[in-house]
Amino acid sequence: MKRIAIDMDEVISYFSAKCLELFNEEFQERYTDQHLQGKKLMELDARFEKKVDQYLANESFFLELEVIKDSQKVIKELSAYYEIYIVTAAMEFPASLAPKYRWLKKHFSFLNEKNFVFCGDKSIILADYLLDDTPSNLEAFQGKGILFTAPHNVNETGYTRVNNWKEVKAYFL
Ligand SMILES: [Mg+2]
């Protein structure tokens, strides 16, 4: 079976949505995904730089992330034909390791935990495909990189792009 490595934040979990929600509450702002088109959080508002570190230091941050629409269903379907690995960079925020693990066990309980990979630099990953929202991760990857659309990457060109999990399914099945 061919192997698909799947990123976590912004591919199966709504990471930036949660950051916006917490930030809006705290600063009485009304930022939405629309404000984030083509931008990173810090480019939208410099105050995110300190705040994101604070949000992520809280264990409940990762536990409360919403699951991206259709990702559970499609990954379950793909796992009949491909080896699925969830590959997430967790070393910048070591406090995220345990909550990320618990989140995966809760929402992707059909995957074996041996298929969870918590890493630093994703260029070490050997798989046939990498599905990720961050262009630099795809750049360093030796297999076929596929860009999953997130608000910050809408202007990126030069990658095979999928906009949602229905498109992921159509690409692989
Ligand atoms: Mg990501």
Side-chain angles (χ1 to χ4, degrees), residues 39-167:
K39 288 181 193 153
K40 296 197 170 105
L41 289 164
M42 339 277 178
E43 292 165 340
L44 171 62
D45 189 318
R47 290 176 292 180
F48 272 108
E49 181 142 24
K50 278 191 188 145
K51 280 293 150 190
V52 171
D53 285 0
Q54 278 179 28
Y55 297 153
L56 270 57
N58 187 338
E59 281 222 354
S60 67
F61 177 88
F62 283 99
L63 290 175
E64 289 169 3
L65 292 182
E66 303 271 347
V67 180
I68 289 193
K69 191 169 182 287
D70 300 326
S71 61
Q72 288 152 310
K73 189 171 133 287
V74 173
I75 289 176
K76 197 176 254 181
E77 289 171 2
L78 290 179
S79 64
Y81 304 95
Y82 296 88
E83 276 181 35
I84 303 293
Y85 286 83
I86 305 296
V87 177
T88 182
M91 298 311 152
E92 284 170 63
F93 298 99
S96 72
L97 286 161
K100 278 185 162 185
Y101 175 86
R102 292 215 297 279
W103 188 90
L104 286 169
K105 288 302 277 182
K106 180 177 172 189
H107 297 290
F108 292 83
S109 56
F110 56 91
L111 293 175
N112 191 301
E113 65 265 12
K114 285 181 181 165
N115 294 41
F116 301 163
V117 180
F118 293 164
C119 65
D121 185 336
K122 288 190 189 176
S123 67
I124 194 70
I125 300 301
L126 184 62
D128 297 285
Y129 303 92
L130 173 63
L131 182 59
D132 204 297
D133 65 298
T134 301
S136 59
N137 289 336
L138 301 179
E139 211 62 65
F141 182 63
Q142 292 173 37
K144 168 74 179 165
I146 300 166
L147 187 69
F148 191 87
T149 296
H152 70 87
N153 71 26
V154 293
N155 299 324
E156 296 289 342
T157 55
Y159 301 95
T160 299
R161 177 187 287 276
V162 286
N163 290 304
N164 53 53
W165 277 93
K166 287 208 168 77
E167 290 187 20

Side-chain angles (χ1 to χ4, degrees), residues 18-29:
K18 183 77 183 163
C19 290
L20 291 179
E21 182 192 315
L22 293 170
F23 191 91
N24 284 343
E25 262 174 47
E26 186 172 350
F27 295 105
Q28 319 285 301
E29 296 287 357

